[in-house]
Amino acid sequence: MKLFSLCAALAVCLSSVAVAELPAPLVDNYYNIGKIHQQVSTDNREAQLWFDRGLAMCYGFNHEEAIRCFDKAVALDPQLAIAYAMKAYAMGPNFNNMEITRDTMLAADSVSKTSLEHLEQASPLERMVIEAIDKRSGESVPEDFDQRGPFNQAYADAMAKAYAEHGDSPFVAELYAESLMNLQPWKHWSVDGKPGEQTPTIVEVIERGLAAQPNHAGLCHMYVHVMEASPTPGKALPAANRLRTAVPGSGHLVHMPTHIDVLVGDYASVVKSNSEAIEVDKVFLDREGPLNFFSLYRLHNYHFLVYGAMFDGQSQQALAAARAINQQVPEEMLKEQVDFLDAFMPTTFHVMVRFGRWDDILNEPTPPEYLPMSRAVRLYARTLAYAATERVEQAEAEQQKFLEAVKLVPESSLLFQNTSLDILGIAEAMVAGEIAYRKGEYDQAFAHLREAVRRDDALNYDEPWGWMQPARHALGALLLEQGHYAESEAVYREDLARHPKNPWALHGLVESLVKQGKEREAAQYVDDLEASCQRADVTINRSCYCRLKVLDE
């Protein structure tokens, strides 16, 4: 294959993903919950409806809305014990938010005790669930979140008994699986692919439930979460696909399939489904406003959309979604929850680095002082911008400012499952490598960039990944520029194993093979490369815009 053939393979389509028409997010002036239904012990049809709505909100992790639904259910039927219990459940911990205040846990316990007062009205299945939920809290619940293990374990043990008696109920199966997931939140698989202590049971319970009721939204949701960090995330793709339209009024459930899409290299679906989820959640935003915990899930949709669009070469989509993140959170909330929200705010800088918008980076304003992570990321991006435009002295000066800014980022600052400091550790190695490279210190530069890759790989599992542009893309690009074709080939193969079908690494792999005279092997990837570039609005002619000499030249 001639070198110019590779260039032809890089031709890109300037279109973006069109968002399909959304299913109606509202039905009967309420969020469309699809076919979610769990028959409970009431003759009041309205109470049953509000229970089902509350359950749907629980499955979609909108627990505040679920509480309102269960309140309406018990207002219509004050004897409905399971509705009190599920309200207590919604007030308690879940693996995305285990740090529930003691006051809230005590309030949940009070509601749970009310459910026990009406136990005689409950079915045998409901009684076992009610009694299990009551194990999660009590007067002795400690203030320290790390000391609550016995309560979470007691709940899981009680749900195990409920499952032993009522394992054919998907309602019970979902609660049991989730109770086990709370014992090891976001640690269902090790980095080397070994299952966590509870993982085999979780998978068995969910798969048994899905075999009987494959469209159950709660089980599909949990299956995506338990399988996404596994060596075989694609096993959850059928469940993810069924979930896409199962609950049209739950933005989080519309979004959830993209946790699998991104792992199998379907970046178009990542963009599409998160765009749809954003539209669905605008209905909730219009009704309830932004001052609620669910705003974190809304931000997650935008963040995930950015991540997918960056991989897909859709610079305009990525930049628009990144800009929108900053518009979703009122300043009041941002200041109150700065440890949890700060790391979202500089997403625009990651997009600009991805697409080599060096001048735009230098023109971006400084974030306010109460956002230390945002300020540090800005300085990281500015350092790269100066380095990539061969202004080494300015890059070194900016690097020193960056290192000082990192010292101001508290250990409590997080981006989901990773600390901001761990994420900035990758940035630190990246800027050191880029500056050394511009100074002609190539061995030192590559050592720094390999360290950036090591730190990138060492992050806790998360989706989107904590570092938004794989460090291998910079390492591979600069190895190619210096003629280290065999090593760059290995780097790109490793990246494609982690991020399948991404055009940046595919381009680098094809070029690495061609440079080594492996045209026949390179030809095997050209169709994949062309397909992966179809939605890009930029020419993908290198895996990182830090590389200055490109193939076209």
Side-chain angles (χ1 to χ4, degrees):
M1 183 175 71
K2 300 294 185 182
L3 206 55
F4 66 80
S5 299
L6 174 61
C7 295
L10 302 179
V12 296
C13 174
L14 298 182
S15 63
S16 60
V17 173
V19 178
E21 184 177 351
L22 293 170
L26 292 177
V27 171
D28 296 330
N29 200 34
Y30 192 74
Y31 312 110
N32 186 347
I33 67 169
K35 297 181 179 180
I36 290 178
H37 174 67
Q38 171 63 33
Q39 186 61 49
V40 292
S41 299
T42 184
D43 294 326
N44 188 307
R45 295 177 63 182
E46 286 294 305
Q48 175 69 64
L49 175 61
W50 282 107
F51 181 89
D52 289 339
R53 287 171 170 174
L55 186 60
M57 293 301 109
C58 287
Y59 289 161
F61 279 12
N62 191 341
H63 296 98
E64 291 158 305
E65 179 64 21
I67 290 168
R68 290 190 283 270
C69 292
F70 294 128
D71 278 341
K72 291 181 179 180
V74 297
L76 290 160
D77 184 351
Q79 306 299 313
L80 187 53
I82 189 64
Y84 292 106
M86 289 304 294
K87 176 183 176 179
Y89 159 86
M91 295 170 71
N94 64 80
F95 54 78
N96 278 345
N97 183 21
M98 297 297 292
E99 298 185 354
I100 305 299
T101 67
R102 185 172 188 273
D103 286 345
T104 300
M105 292 302 296
L106 291 176
D109 182 59
S110 176
V111 176
S112 181
K113 293 299 185 284
T114 303
S115 71
L116 294 177
E117 293 173 5
H118 301 289
L119 203 59
E120 69 278 1
Q121 306 295 328
S123 69
L125 180 154
E126 291 167 1
R127 290 178 189 176
M128 296 196 79
V129 170
I130 290 166
E131 290 171 346
I133 290 172
D134 189 57
K135 303 287 187 184
R136 295 212 304 175
S137 57
E139 287 294 331
S140 61
V141 67
E143 191 77 49
D144 187 345
F145 308 122
D146 294 333
Q147 300 300 315
R148 295 182 186 173
F151 287 86
N152 296 327
Q153 185 66 62
Y155 169 55
D157 291 344
M159 281 308 308
K161 293 178 181 178
Y163 182 74
E165 291 287 329
H166 303 284
D168 292 337
S169 164
F171 171 61
V172 171
E174 191 279 337
L175 288 174
Y176 177 40
E178 189 181 358
S179 74
L180 295 176
M181 294 170 81
N182 287 353
L183 298 179
Q184 53 180 43
W186 289 91
K187 297 187 183 299
H188 306 310
W189 302 88
S190 65
V191 174
D192 57 356
K194 295 179 181 177
E197 180 181 356
Q198 308 295 338
T199 303
T201 303
I202 296 167
V203 171
E204 179 184 352
V205 168
I206 296 175
E207 288 183 347
R208 177 190 171 193
L210 287 175
Q213 294 204 29
N215 296 319
H216 190 273
L219 290 173
C220 287
H221 185 185
M222 293 302 105
Y223 197 51
V224 168
H225 272 308
V226 78
M227 294 304 296
E228 60 181 310
S230 76
T232 55
K235 283 186 66 177
L237 189 57
N241 286 334
R242 293 192 296 270
L243 191 57
R244 291 183 200 278
T245 57
V247 191
S250 170
H252 186 62
L253 294 181
V254 171
H255 142 87
M256 271 307 303
T258 64
H259 281 244
I260 301 300
D261 294 333
V262 75
L263 295 168
V264 299
D266 186 358
Y267 306 111
S269 291
V270 173
V271 172
K272 178 177 180 293
S273 290
N274 280 291
S275 297
E276 291 176 340
I278 287 168
E279 292 303 313
V280 170
D281 282 340
K282 284 180 180 177
V283 178
F284 182 80
L285 176 63
D286 288 343
R287 289 185 166 209
E288 301 298 334
L291 297 177
N292 45 63
F293 189 85
F294 196 71
S295 283
L296 283 173
Y297 289 102
R298 292 193 303 103
L299 285 182
H300 183 49
N301 298 339
Y302 285 96
H303 193 220
F304 221 121
L305 171 54
V306 172
Y307 189 61
M310 286 170 65
F311 270 118
D312 216 34
Q314 296 191 54
S315 65
Q316 296 302 321
Q317 283 262 29
L319 189 58
R323 294 280 193 206
I325 287 175
N326 300 80
Q327 301 167 9
Q328 302 309 307
V329 183
E331 186 176 26
E332 170 191 355
M333 183 177 180
L334 185 55
K335 287 182 175 180
E336 289 179 355
Q337 302 290 333
V338 66
D339 278 351
F340 301 103
L341 296 173
D342 186 4
F344 286 104
M345 297 300 112
T347 301
T348 296
F349 289 106
H350 292 291
V351 176
M352 290 180 173
V353 170
R354 164 81 282 178
F355 293 103
R357 297 192 173 207
W358 310 124
D359 290 340
D360 291 341
I361 288 171
L362 296 176
N363 288 326
E364 282 291 299
T366 305
E369 288 189 13
Y370 66 84
L371 297 176
M373 173 63 168
S374 296
R375 291 166 71 89
V377 171
R378 172 180 174 269
L379 291 167
Y380 147 77
R382 287 174 63 86
T383 304
L384 291 190
Y386 282 125
T389 52
E390 300 184 291
R391 289 177 276 182
V392 176
E393 288 187 8
Q394 291 98 319
E396 289 181 317
E398 213 70 13
Q399 179 190 28
Q400 292 307 308
K401 295 178 185 177
F402 163 73
L403 294 174
E404 290 301 313
V406 170
K407 296 176 183 178
L408 300 178
V409 178
E411 293 182 2
S412 54
S413 178
L414 301 170
L415 180 61
F416 288 121
Q417 308 307 317
N418 291 283
T419 69
S420 293
L421 289 174
D422 282 343
I423 293 168
L424 290 171
I426 303 167
E428 180 182 356
M430 289 289 295
V431 297
E434 296 273 3
I435 290 173
Y437 187 84
R438 297 303 161 202
K439 294 169 72 173
E441 300 168 354
Y442 299 127
D443 289 344
Q444 186 177 351
F446 292 135
H448 285 304
L449 292 175
R450 292 186 191 104
E451 175 61 16
V453 168
R454 188 196 68 78
R455 295 180 184 183
D456 190 359
D457 289 352
L459 290 177
N460 293 326
Y461 174 81
D462 215 347
E463 291 300 345
W465 196 252
W467 187 247
M468 297 197 75
Q469 177 177 331
R472 284 184 176 85
H473 289 190
L475 174 60
L478 298 182
L479 285 169
L480 261 175
E481 192 169 54
Q482 292 304 314
H484 301 291
Y485 305 130
E487 185 177 355
S488 66
E489 175 192 344
V491 166
Y492 289 124
R493 288 190 185 279
E494 290 170 358
D495 188 72
L496 287 165
R498 293 175 65 88
H499 309 291
K501 304 177 186 177
N502 83 82
W504 309 93
L506 280 170
H507 178 282
L509 176 60
V510 171
E511 186 181 352
S512 297
L513 291 169
V514 169
K515 292 287 191 179
Q516 295 176 81
K518 301 178 180 179
E519 288 88 352
R520 183 171 297 178
E521 189 174 354
Q524 299 174 16
Y525 297 97
V526 169
D527 287 346
D528 287 342
L529 175 57
E530 290 179 338
S532 71
C533 290
Q534 285 182 0
R535 294 166 301 277
D537 59 11
V538 297
T539 299
I540 297 177
N541 55 9
R542 65 199 103 173
S543 63
C544 176
Y545 285 98
C546 58
R547 175 185 172 186
L548 303 184
K549 298 176 182 177
V550 296
L551 184 66
D552 293 343
E553 297 173 357

